[in-house]
Amino acid sequence: MLDANIKTQLKAYLDKVTQPIEIVASVDSGDKSREVLSLLDDLKGLSPLISVQQRDDDDQRKPSFALNSPGKNIGIRFAGIPMGHEFTSLVLALLQVGGHPPKAEAEVIEQIRGIEGEFNFETYISLSCHNCPEVVQALNLMSAINPNIRHTMIDGSLFQDEVNERRIMAVPTIFLNGQEFGHGRMGVKEILNKIDTGAIAKEAQKLSEKAPYDVLIVGGGPAGASAAIYSARKGIRTGLVADRFGGQVMDTMAIENFISVKETDGPKLAASLEEHVKSYDVDIMNLQRAASLMPAASHDGLMEVRLESGAVLRSKSVIVSTGARWRKINVPGEQEYRGRGVAYCPHCDGPLFKGKSVAVIGGGNSGVEAAIDLAGIVKDVTLLEFNGELRADAVLQKKLFSLPNVTVITGAQTSEINGDGEKVNGITYTNRQTGESHRVDLAAVFIQIGLVPNTDWIKDTVALSKFGEIEVDAKGQTSVPGVFAAGDVTTVPFKQIIIAMGEGSKAALGAFEHLIRS
């Protein structure tokens, strides 16, 4: 199951295990069960502390396997074969069950230990989803620490009947005690805030008590990370508050144009950014969304950034780097069926529609790349483009038109995403030349029409362009003295990671110059 190179690397990790790991496999006579047993046999051969039992007479999902340690009650189970992006989740779970100290802050571990009640989590994933592992690893960690918390990772492609019955059309989808708990990427702190009543208020009070900053960066993407590093290197008190560190980069898979790095992916780059920022004296406040900005008006000259949690942060200067989000098409059915056939990430949700018909809206690079990726998974893809021709790079178009199960329709204006009340079952578009209306029966619609800047929270404070972007000068200065901006949230053209990083460093230097002059 595992090749020699992976076995060598994995054995080095398993050498850190200090207590026995009992693995109980629930299997049947199917091919996937044989694959699971092969994987577990490989694991058993890599450490004398790992034992494997198999059962075919229990009521667990098959194939699946549970991890435990003698005398303990650890509730970690993998339903499916945790390879692909989830292989790291398996390795971490083995280490945690095997007694290796978890990489989590002491106060987070104590908060997990203090949770009371019974929490049975189930997370539906796809092995190609780069957002899923964070959820799986967070819930596995919580299960390893607190016996009241149990978690099962479920590969949706292997348990299609459950996916259909529970109407799951996006991953990760999390259930708690049989009820839907949440969708999308979540970390430990975010999950704790949802189940630990009073945690948000306590955290807000702690944040409000922090001393004022010289520069406060709002946003943790490439621009924000770059701004934080440049600010901290100047020796000034630097804070960074972010809805999620990494920002839009976390939703990006292949990155092949980041100079000096031949190829990487979004989550890896985001992890490297965070590691770099943490090597400096930067106060990082993650999972906190900004609600408003009050420019300096009092005698102390401090600005106030109010967070949705109720916390208030104060600073002499502010750098806004809140990035952008997926643009919506704003037609009937889009909001109603979001997560039920309307999707924005083909890498994450594509495997849920294996063998079915889907549509992609958007003929730029992201839309064409999505159609190419999906064509290898689904029955067929219909790509709809508003303009008379595709806008993607020629090399991508050549690949697209070589695929036999892709239909391209240009000059198409989407008028409605159709559904049966529970899930998407079609899309209606208008031919812009003839005015005729057409409907295509399908199971999912992937929307890929670009980004919209995250400026709703600051639109009444700084000058914005007609597209909602923050207007900045050559130094990143906005219309408000002391407030700077950088990255995809601004009017700077060409929304690229490497450009955002340069703009972030420039805004930090501009903010520093403002501080020494004022």
Side-chain angles (χ1 to χ4, degrees):
M1 183 69 181
L2 301 177
D3 64 35
N5 185 44
I6 291 178
K7 285 183 179 180
T8 300
Q9 297 178 50
L10 185 53
K11 187 178 187 307
Y13 283 112
L14 293 178
D15 285 343
K16 301 175 183 179
V17 168
T18 60
Q19 63 189 29
I21 301 172
E22 294 180 339
I23 303 178
V24 179
S26 299
V27 293
D28 54 23
S29 59
D31 291 340
K32 292 299 179 182
S33 286
R34 283 191 285 272
E35 288 184 41
V36 165
L37 291 175
S38 176
L39 171 63
L40 299 183
D41 190 55
D42 284 345
L43 296 179
K44 180 181 176 181
L46 295 175
S47 173
L49 292 176
I50 295 179
S51 63
V52 177
Q53 305 173 34
Q54 66 180 75
R55 298 189 60 178
D56 57 10
D57 59 348
D58 56 16
D59 58 356
Q60 298 291 342
R61 296 176 178 89
K62 295 177 177 60
S64 69
F65 60 93
L67 306 182
N68 201 5
S69 190
K72 297 194 175 183
N73 183 24
I74 298 174
I76 296 177
R77 178 174 289 272
F78 293 90
I81 309 169
M83 299 301 289
H85 288 300
E86 293 298 345
F87 187 66
T88 301
S89 302
L90 172 61
V91 175
L92 289 174
L94 289 167
L95 291 175
Q96 291 156 5
V97 174
H100 188 67
K103 288 186 177 181
E105 299 170 12
E107 61 182 49
V108 171
I109 292 175
E110 285 306 308
Q111 186 180 1
I112 294 171
R113 284 199 179 113
I115 297 291
E116 298 179 353
E118 293 295 327
F119 300 88
N120 182 22
F121 287 98
E122 300 166 295
T123 305
Y124 289 85
I125 61 95
S126 68
L127 297 181
S128 60
C129 170
H130 56 279
N131 288 322
C132 296
E134 182 170 352
V135 177
V136 172
Q137 291 164 24
L139 290 169
N140 283 349
L141 171 66
M142 293 168 65
S143 301
I145 294 171
N146 188 328
N148 296 323
I149 301 172
R150 313 188 74 76
H151 175 239
T152 301
M153 179 218 81
I154 305 164
D155 181 356
S157 66
L158 292 189
F159 297 92
Q160 199 67 47
D161 288 344
E162 285 187 43
V163 167
N164 294 334
E165 182 181 346
R166 285 182 154 176
R167 296 190 289 276
I168 295 166
M169 297 190 175
V171 290
T173 293
I174 310 162
F175 282 77
L176 171 58
N177 298 334
Q179 302 297 315
E180 201 165 294
F181 177 77
H183 299 270
R185 196 182 195 101
M186 280 189 205
V188 173
K189 291 184 178 179
E190 195 170 356
I191 295 169
L192 284 173
N193 284 343
K194 293 190 72 171
I195 66 174
D196 186 7
T197 57
I200 294 177
K202 293 175 187 175
E203 182 69 13
Q205 183 176 350
K206 284 174 55 179
L207 293 177
S208 295
E209 292 171 354
K210 288 180 178 286
Y213 299 96
D214 292 312
V215 60
L216 176 64
I217 297 126
V218 184
S226 177
I229 291 169
Y230 267 72
S231 297
R233 286 174 62 87
K234 290 295 184 181
I236 59 179
R237 177 165 163 75
T238 303
L240 185 151
V241 60
D243 182 20
R244 63 168 179 165
F245 202 99
Q248 190 76 14
V249 167
M250 296 294 285
D251 299 325
T252 304
M253 280 304 294
I255 299 174
E256 299 175 347
N257 58 356
F258 188 71
I259 311 305
S260 83
V261 179
K262 186 176 180 181
E263 59 182 30
T264 185
D265 60 49
K268 286 182 182 178
L269 179 58
S272 296
L273 288 175
E274 188 169 9
E275 182 181 4
H276 196 174
V277 172
K278 285 181 175 178
S279 69
Y280 290 93
D281 188 13
V282 177
D283 186 7
I284 299 175
M285 295 156 280
N286 202 9
L287 303 178
Q288 298 289 337
R289 182 174 294 180
S292 65
L293 169 65
M294 297 293 293
S298 58
H299 67 280
D300 60 10
L302 295 175
M303 304 178 193
E304 290 186 351
V305 173
R306 296 184 178 273
L307 308 180
E308 287 188 356
S309 66
V312 177
L313 303 172
R314 295 168 296 156
S315 183
K316 296 176 183 176
S317 64
V318 171
I319 298 175
V320 179
S321 57
T322 45
R325 62 188 182 276
W326 293 114
R327 185 181 297 278
K328 298 178 181 179
I329 55 175
N330 296 317
V331 300
E334 179 181 20
Q335 188 60 36
E336 294 90 328
Y337 293 107
R338 184 169 185 174
R340 294 187 291 163
V342 173
Y344 300 85
C345 180
H347 302 290
C348 301
D349 300 331
L352 294 175
F353 302 96
K354 182 178 180 180
K356 299 179 180 179
S357 299
V358 305
V360 173
I361 299 177
N365 282 350
S366 60
V368 171
E369 286 174 350
I372 293 170
D373 289 343
L374 289 166
I377 302 171
V378 303
K379 177 183 177 184
D380 53 68
V381 181
T382 300
L383 186 146
L384 302 177
E385 163 58 30
F386 182 83
N387 293 315
E389 59 184 22
L390 301 183
R391 295 167 287 111
D393 294 343
V395 64
L396 292 174
Q397 291 194 45
K398 182 178 179 181
K399 173 64 176 177
L400 180 75
F401 286 112
S402 73
L403 301 174
N405 62 335
V406 175
T407 300
V408 176
I409 303 174
T410 57
Q413 181 173 356
T414 303
S415 53
E416 184 177 0
I417 296 174
N418 311 114
D420 61 7
E422 293 185 352
K423 62 183 184 297
V424 168
N425 62 15
I427 190 169
T428 301
Y429 71 92
T430 301
N431 183 309
R432 296 181 60 219
Q433 286 189 327
T434 66
E436 295 178 347
S437 180
H438 302 271
R439 176 189 156 107
V440 179
D441 292 333
L442 42 78
V445 177
F446 291 85
I447 300 172
Q448 302 281 294
I449 58 170
L451 304 170
V452 58
N454 293 317
T455 53
D456 295 345
W457 68 282
I458 203 173
K459 63 183 179 182
D460 297 324
T461 306
V462 299
L464 304 179
S465 72
K466 64 180 181 180
F467 300 110
E469 301 166 321
I470 300 175
E471 295 180 346
V472 293
D473 66 11
K475 296 182 178 180
Q477 172 72 59
T478 71
S479 60
V480 176
V483 178
F484 294 77
D488 288 3
V489 76
T490 72
T491 51
V492 171
F494 310 122
K495 312 305 185 187
Q496 298 289 311
I497 293 171
I498 198 165
I499 293 174
M501 285 183 173
E503 291 298 309
S505 59
K506 186 169 69 175
L509 295 174
F512 180 72
E513 182 180 79
H514 166 79
L515 290 172
I516 60 177
R517 289 179 180 275
S518 60

